Amino acid sequence: MGDFFRTQLFNIIAAVFLALFVIVWGTVLLQVWVFVPEVPGTPPKLNGAVVCAAGALSTSLSSLTASALGFTMAEVRREEQSGSAEAAGQAPAGVFEAGGFTTKLSGRVIAALMVYLVVGLLVLGVWLVKGTASTDLIGAFSLSLLGWIIGAAGVVFQTEKPSPQASAAG
């Protein structure tokens, strides 16, 4: 039994972190969604501890996933520059191979990306539907998610980089 926990420790920590993120944000979303204001446009009052936990968890998960994408991108680029990507049968120099990038992401990182994206899109949806009747917390996370998506899109749409010959000719 001890060996199981020893070998699965990182997976357990990741699962607990992601579960907390989903539970806390699920609670926030439920409270905001079912809230019926006495005065139209009035946001619900949330427990301060929930607000702090939700903010800390969303900021942490956003930072963790963004840094994982950035470090993985740097690793793939480093391999391309050293020639090991071509030797491994991957894309030639100057072409970014998305498959090589995604295979470098661990299962934990992929799970974190998917959880962040799904919960974030739900939060964005609630913010867009409820408008001023949502909370500043919902709005802040929605804007943060949009920034994160823009950054991730920068990675996704970067399918080609200029070759040294094209740079010298331009």
Side-chain angles (χ1 to χ4, degrees), residues 2-161:
D3 286 341
F4 171 78
F5 287 113
R6 193 175 348 275
T7 59
Q8 295 300 316
L9 182 62
F10 290 158
N11 289 335
I12 293 168
I13 292 169
V16 168
F17 178 77
L18 292 177
L20 281 172
F21 178 81
V22 170
I23 290 166
V24 169
W25 273 100
T27 301
V28 170
L29 286 175
L30 184 63
Q31 288 178 7
V32 171
W33 188 254
V34 300
F35 178 72
V36 178
E38 292 176 16
V39 177
T42 305
K45 296 203 183 307
L46 298 175
N47 177 318
V50 171
V51 171
C52 287
L57 289 167
S58 62
T59 301
S60 299
L61 191 53
S62 172
S63 299
L64 292 169
T65 55
S67 65
L69 288 174
F71 287 134
T72 304
M73 174 69 78
E75 180 183 345
V76 169
R77 294 285 189 205
R78 206 171 24 256
E79 287 176 1
E80 285 178 352
Q81 289 173 352
S82 70
S84 61
E86 287 184 63
Q90 294 178 2
V95 177
F96 178 73
E97 179 59 43
F101 176 76
T102 56
T103 58
K104 299 238 179 252
L105 295 172
S106 73
R108 288 187 297 267
V109 171
I110 291 171
L113 288 166
M114 293 297 101
V115 166
Y116 182 76
L117 193 56
V118 168
V119 171
L121 289 174
L122 289 172
V123 170
L124 179 63
V126 167
W127 186 51
L128 293 174
V129 170
K130 289 290 207 169
T132 58
S134 69
T135 65
D136 289 341
L137 178 66
I138 297 281
F141 183 32
S142 296
L143 292 173
S144 174
L145 172 79
L146 290 173
W148 183 90
I149 288 173
I150 291 166
V155 172
V156 170
F157 291 121
Q158 185 180 359
T159 58
E160 213 172 73
K161 61 181 180 175

